[in-house]
């Protein structure tokens, strides 16, 4: 079925094919070439990461994080249950035990005040997910991590160009991962980035990235031959992907501004309905900025949400829900410790995402809101 207003439409800046043509004419199409370096330098300079490595997806970047944490079987990782599969999958693949945390009442981010109760002698890592690009309470999370000697890996998949108390997300934990999947603000089709803030991880990250070889050091002239020195995989994207991404990064300010205008319009038009108690709107804590990754609202129950999605569908508009709680997923439910995670289940049943993409018009937002109201 096709919709008059789809849920998402990938935005092209118009420069993508030009840069891909340039990459092709440079004659080097494998990874770690000109465009990869340009994208990495841009992210490092704009946000202050010690090192940034492009990856073929955020899932890959998270898998690199899990490898860098050097976990032993049975080590525990605290992860919100209300998140995309990859957040947990990356750590499950290295044999870790995932301990799922509940969300906050005010927004779907993990509740920092509930973390300490989950810490055991086996806990090694906390993985905050900045849902909708809205920051988790990072000072509190870093304080808990310091106290218990834990690593913090930020799943910043949705959080490009978003800030916590003036600090860029992805810049606060020891490691972080971004996504450039076509549903995110800045896209490469499939793509991601690993960001390193603790310099002790840089050398090994470069090796994991290049199939367990010290190729990066070789190309910098630091060693006179390269070979197999560790585990790893082919985590780096081709120059075709990086050239596409460069066109997007270059236009980031314009993309963000347009998305924010659409977000603000939704908020302004839906606020009176929220004040009447029809549903709740996103609640931005004082410490967080809004990168307009997503506009969502939270209904009172599953029936009201289904009715809302149905009404929009009848009018040619696709709204979607997401994240079935990971702790009750077919794969993880038998391994979960049985704790109820009521806020997480509430978001899984009641949250609905409205269309939000660069090429959506303000008049489209007006129409969507009129239908929601009617
Ligand atoms: C999109 C997303 C991912 C996965 O990103 P990919 O680039 O598709 O691998 C991981 N975590 C969260 C929170 C996401 O939203």
């Amino acid at each position: 079925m096709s919709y008059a207003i789809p849920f998402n439409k990938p935005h092209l800046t118009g420069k993508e094919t030009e840069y891909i043509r340039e990459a092709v004419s440079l004659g080097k199409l494998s990874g770690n070439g000109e465009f990869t370096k340009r994208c990495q330098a841009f992210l490092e300079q704009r946000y202050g990461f010690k090192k940034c490595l492009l990856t073929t997806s955020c899932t890959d970047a998270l898998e690199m994080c899990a490898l860098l944490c050097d976990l032993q079987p049975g080590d525990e990782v605290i992860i919100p249950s209300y998140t995309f599969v990859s957040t947990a999958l990356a750590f499950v693949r290295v044999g870790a035990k995932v301990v799922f945390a509940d969300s906050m009442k005010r927004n779907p981010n993990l509740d920092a005040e509930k973390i300490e109760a989950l810490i055991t002698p086996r806990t090694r890592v906390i993985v905050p997910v900045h849902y909708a690009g809205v920051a988790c309470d990072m000072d509190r999370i870093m304080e808990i991590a310091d106290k218990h000697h834990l690593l913090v890996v930020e799943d910043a998949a949705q959080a490009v160009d978003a800030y916590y108390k003036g600090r860029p997300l992805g810049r606060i934990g020891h490691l972080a991962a971004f996504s450039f999947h076509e549903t995110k603000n800045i896209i490469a089709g499939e793509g991601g980035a690993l960001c390193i803030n603790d310099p002790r991880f840089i050398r090994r990250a470069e090796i994991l990235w290049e199939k367990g070889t010290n190729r990066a050091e070789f190309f910098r002239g630091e060693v006179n031959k390269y070979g197999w020195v560790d585990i790893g995989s082919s985590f780096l994207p081709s120059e075709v992907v990086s050239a596409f991404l460069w066109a997007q990064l270059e236009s980031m300010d314009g993309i963000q501004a347009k998305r924010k205008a659409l977000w603000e319009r939704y908020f302004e038009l839906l606020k009176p309905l929220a004040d009447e108690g029809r549903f709740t709107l996103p609640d931005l804590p004082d410490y967080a900025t809004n990168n307009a990754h997503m506009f969502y609202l939270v209904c009172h129950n599953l029936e009201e949400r289904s009715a809302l999605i149905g009404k929009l569908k009848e009018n040619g508009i696709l709204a979607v829900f997401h994240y079935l709680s990971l702790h009750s997923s077919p794969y993880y439910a038998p391994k979960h410790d049985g704790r109820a995670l009521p806020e997480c289940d509430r978001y899984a049943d009641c949250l609905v995402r409205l269309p939000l993409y660069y090429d959506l018009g303000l008049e489209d937002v007006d129409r969507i809101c009129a239908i929601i109201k009617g």
Side-chain angles (χ1 to χ4, degrees), residues 163-212:
Y163 294 79
Y164 171 81
K165 298 184 183 172
R167 280 173 278 157
L169 297 187
R171 171 72 188 84
I172 302 169
H174 300 85
L175 298 164
F178 284 111
S179 174
F180 304 119
H181 184 266
E182 74 166 27
T183 52
K184 305 301 203 277
N185 290 26
I186 301 296
I187 66 173
E190 299 277 358
L194 166 70
C195 302
I196 303 169
N197 301 312
D198 183 335
R200 81 188 135 126
F201 293 110
I202 294 176
R203 181 169 184 268
R204 185 154 193 244
E206 286 183 335
I207 290 167
L208 297 176
W209 193 54
E210 286 258 38
K211 305 108 184 154

Side-chain angles (χ1 to χ4, degrees), residues 261-335:
L262 294 164
W263 197 100
E264 297 294 344
R265 181 75 142 232
Y266 267 128
F267 195 86
E268 181 196 321
L269 294 175
L270 295 176
K271 182 78 168 51
L273 304 183
D275 290 343
E276 282 168 25
R278 297 261 301 266
F279 40 70
T280 53
L281 292 179
D283 176 15
L284 247 51
D286 290 340
Y287 53 68
T289 60
N290 176 23
N291 75 345
H293 170 59
M294 189 193 298
F295 196 93
Y296 68 86
L297 41 91
V298 183
C299 299
H300 296 115
N301 53 50
L302 181 59
E303 292 67 37
E304 287 186 24
R305 181 178 75 179
S306 305
L308 177 59
I309 291 174
K311 185 161 76 169
L312 289 167
K313 197 173 201 169
E314 281 163 24
N315 287 277
I317 297 157
L318 181 59
V320 302
F321 60 86
H322 70 166
Y323 300 159
L324 301 168
S325 306
L326 294 182
H327 71 280
S328 34
S329 62
Y331 181 70
Y332 217 83
K335 304 177 189 56

Side-chain angles (χ1 to χ4, degrees), residues 57-59 62 83-84 86-87 129 155 157-158 179-181 184 190-191 323:
S57 64
C58 179
T59 304
L62 289 164
T83 182
F84 190 62
S86 305
T87 321
V129 178
D155 181 339
Q158 305 175 6
S179 174
F180 304 119
H181 184 266
K184 305 301 203 277
E190 299 277 358
Y323 300 159

